[in-house]
Amino acid sequence: MEQGPGAAYRMFVLMEDLLDKLKLLSYEEEALRRHNMRPISRCPSPAPPGGGEGPGEAGGGLAQEAHYFALPTNPGEQFFMFCTLAAWLITKAGHPFEQPQEYDDPNAIISNVLSELRSFGRPVDFPPSKLKAGYGEQACYVLDCLAEEALKYTGFTWKRPAYPKEELEEEEITEDDAELTLNKLEEDVVEEESDSEENFIDLNVLKAQTHRSDVNDSAKPEEILQSTTDAAEWNLEVERVLPQLKVTVRTDNKDWRIHVDQMHQHKDGIESSLKETKGYLDKLHNEISRTLEKINSREKYINSQLEHLVQEYRSAQALLSEAKEKYQEGSGGVVERTRVLSEITEVLERVKQETEEKGSSMTDGAPLVKIKQALTKLKQETIQMDIQIGVMEHTLLQSKLKEKSNMTRDMHAAVILEATVGAY
């Protein structure tokens, strides 16, 4: 299924949530300081894979997202950080898990982490090899799931935000310093006089004076008023009060009029620069166009002059390709003959080795000496056997003679016994 345009930023959002959960679990004090590791940094995220603006440029809310496990920076360090945080979160979630070391088997560590994740009931629909790099959406997913399980085990619950009570302040009417009214000027003059004289005016007295002046004005007859003030004294009073009447307008950079003036100034500067630059650019364009035309004409002239050389080069290329084919065929035959030669050489070496063994055995006198010793031993054994045979024959002869004498004696005894019996 095709993903939307925001899929490339999903892992940055997931990483931001993961970092908030790790801070809730105090991972810096419990996990990183124990292993002397740096905390996960927050900095603007660069462009995601596939081009386009990064999350920090696309929207102001994502300008400070953490992307430690979202983008590759140092795969070895990221994988060790991933294994360390995963083991700590599993232990934090109530399942004892041995802390992995730097030289442990990565496949075994990943298999143990995924088995613990499955034991929490979390689905794992990606191959374990995705976690070997130590970064990516899969790594963020695994750590986020383990952080949620750790928060559940510790009994953390999200509460409603408690907003501080703000004191209601009187709204101040911001007046434009560039626009001065007569009332504001009179108020400033009154304040300056009051500050200099350090006198306080009673409102009741002021009301009574105003009432009396109104009564006097109404009692006066309607006639043309003539001034009785001396002009010289008036000029002296004007000179005395003139420094206090000077109005200095402070320029505020946030005022839209200043911005409009700056825009007009920049516009005039751009237009004046554009006129001068446009002339240079047109001149440069004409020069480049003439140069390109010259290059094209020179190229056509060179092609026309070198046409026969190009044909010769093409024919040479064809001959070279044919020679290469013949060389490949010949090299194939050479390889086959080299193989046959190596086999024949092996057979020849084996025959030579057998011949040398037989020659060395024929010229060696050790077997002859062994044969002579064997014959001597056979002769000695034959003599001993002859002696034993003689002794046995002698013993057998004696036994036969003894048996024969015994039989003769028994026969004579029987004859004498029969004769004796017959006489009776």
Side-chain angles (χ1 to χ4, degrees):
M1 184 178 65
E2 295 183 357
Q3 298 180 350
Y9 304 98
R10 183 175 179 273
M11 57 182 175
F12 295 100
V13 179
L14 188 61
M15 183 62 211
E16 183 73 13
D17 295 341
L18 169 62
L19 187 59
D20 292 337
K21 294 171 185 176
L22 291 176
K23 285 187 175 293
L24 291 175
L25 293 169
S26 302
Y27 81 107
E28 294 181 354
E29 293 79 8
E30 298 184 11
L32 299 185
R33 290 183 182 176
R34 187 180 303 173
H35 298 89
N36 195 16
M37 301 175 70
R38 295 179 301 172
I40 298 175
S41 61
R42 284 177 179 265
C43 57
S45 301
E53 296 179 343
E57 298 172 357
L62 301 178
Q64 294 294 327
E65 285 183 346
H67 65 276
Y68 186 80
F69 291 112
L71 295 176
T73 55
N74 188 351
E77 179 186 347
Q78 286 175 303
F79 179 74
F80 184 66
M81 175 73 82
F82 168 77
C83 297
T84 302
L85 290 179
W88 175 71
L89 289 172
I90 292 171
T91 306
K92 195 83 173 175
H95 292 192
F97 193 86
E98 185 178 357
Q99 186 66 33
Q101 302 299 324
E102 188 174 358
Y103 298 102
D104 291 347
D105 185 13
N107 296 322
I109 297 173
I110 292 172
S111 178
N112 295 334
V113 170
L114 291 181
S115 63
E116 292 291 341
L117 186 63
R118 292 189 185 95
S119 66
F120 288 119
R122 299 284 185 164
V124 179
D125 54 355
F126 55 85
S129 59
K130 293 287 187 180
L131 300 177
K132 265 192 175 181
Y135 66 89
E137 187 176 355
Q138 291 79 12
C140 296
Y141 167 75
V142 171
L143 291 177
D144 186 67
C145 293
L146 294 176
E148 288 182 359
E149 296 297 331
L151 289 173
K152 289 180 183 178
Y153 185 79
T154 54
F156 177 82
T157 55
W158 297 98
K159 298 179 180 179
R160 291 183 175 274
Y163 298 103
K165 293 182 179 179
E166 298 180 357
E167 297 180 357
L168 296 176
E169 298 180 356
E170 296 181 356
E171 295 182 357
E172 297 180 356
I173 300 174
T174 57
E175 297 179 354
D176 193 357
D177 294 335
E179 296 180 357
L180 296 177
T181 59
L182 183 60
N183 295 330
K184 180 175 176 61
L185 184 59
E186 292 177 354
E187 290 177 0
D188 293 338
V189 172
V190 170
E191 287 179 0
E192 290 178 359
E193 291 178 355
S194 62
D195 292 338
S196 61
E197 295 176 359
E198 296 183 357
N199 295 326
F200 297 96
I201 300 174
D202 192 359
L203 294 177
N204 296 324
V205 175
L206 185 61
K207 288 181 180 179
Q209 292 178 357
T210 305
H211 180 68
R212 285 198 300 272
S213 63
D214 293 339
V215 170
N216 294 330
D217 291 340
S218 61
K220 285 182 179 180
E222 294 181 359
E223 58 183 5
I224 299 173
L225 296 178
Q226 294 182 356
S227 176
T228 59
T229 304
D230 189 7
E233 293 179 358
W234 179 262
N235 291 330
L236 290 175
E237 183 67 18
V238 170
E239 291 178 357
R240 185 183 68 84
V241 183
L242 185 62
Q244 299 178 4
L245 296 177
K246 286 185 179 180
V247 178
T248 57
V249 180
R250 292 176 298 175
T251 58
D252 188 4
N253 293 329
K254 295 181 180 179
D255 187 13
W256 63 271
R257 295 178 180 82
I258 303 299
H259 293 177
V260 170
D261 294 338
Q262 290 178 355
M263 289 171 62
H264 286 301
Q265 293 175 3
H266 292 323
K267 181 183 177 183
D268 296 337
I270 290 171
E271 289 178 352
S272 61
S273 300
L274 181 61
K275 291 179 181 178
E276 184 178 1
T277 308
K278 190 175 180 181
Y280 291 132
L281 292 176
D282 293 337
K283 185 178 179 181
L284 182 61
H285 177 265
N286 296 329
E287 291 179 357
I288 293 173
S289 300
R290 288 195 298 270
T291 306
L292 288 176
E293 291 177 358
K294 290 180 180 179
I295 291 172
N296 291 328
S297 61
R298 293 288 183 181
E299 184 179 359
K300 292 178 181 178
Y301 174 75
I302 291 171
N303 290 332
S304 62
Q305 292 294 326
L306 301 179
E307 183 67 27
H308 63 284
L309 296 177
V310 173
Q311 294 295 334
E312 291 178 0
Y313 175 73
R314 290 175 182 172
S315 60
Q317 285 286 345
L319 294 175
L320 178 61
S321 61
E322 292 178 0
K324 285 183 178 180
E325 291 178 359
K326 291 180 181 179
Y327 171 74
Q328 290 178 357
E329 293 176 358
S331 62
V334 170
V335 170
E336 181 66 23
R337 288 175 177 77
T338 304
R339 185 183 62 79
V340 175
L341 178 61
S342 62
E343 293 178 357
I344 294 172
T345 305
E346 290 178 359
V347 174
L348 181 60
E349 290 292 334
R350 189 162 54 249
V351 171
K352 284 182 180 180
Q353 186 177 1
E354 292 177 357
T355 305
E356 289 177 358
E357 290 178 356
K358 288 182 180 180
S360 62
S361 63
M362 290 175 66
T363 56
D364 192 6
L368 184 60
V369 173
K370 290 181 181 179
I371 291 171
K372 289 181 180 180
Q373 291 177 357
L375 289 174
T376 306
K377 190 175 181 180
L378 285 174
K379 287 179 181 180
Q380 291 177 359
E381 290 179 355
T382 303
I383 293 170
Q384 290 178 1
M385 290 296 291
D386 290 339
I387 293 171
Q388 290 179 1
I389 289 170
V391 171
M392 291 297 293
E393 288 180 351
H394 180 69
T395 303
L396 182 60
L397 181 59
Q398 283 183 353
S399 63
K400 285 183 179 180
L401 291 175
K402 188 176 181 179
E403 185 178 359
K404 187 175 181 181
S405 63
N406 289 335
M407 289 177 63
T408 304
R409 188 177 63 248
D410 290 340
M411 287 175 64
H412 287 299
V415 171
I416 293 171
L417 182 60
E418 287 178 358
T420 303
V421 172
Y424 286 111

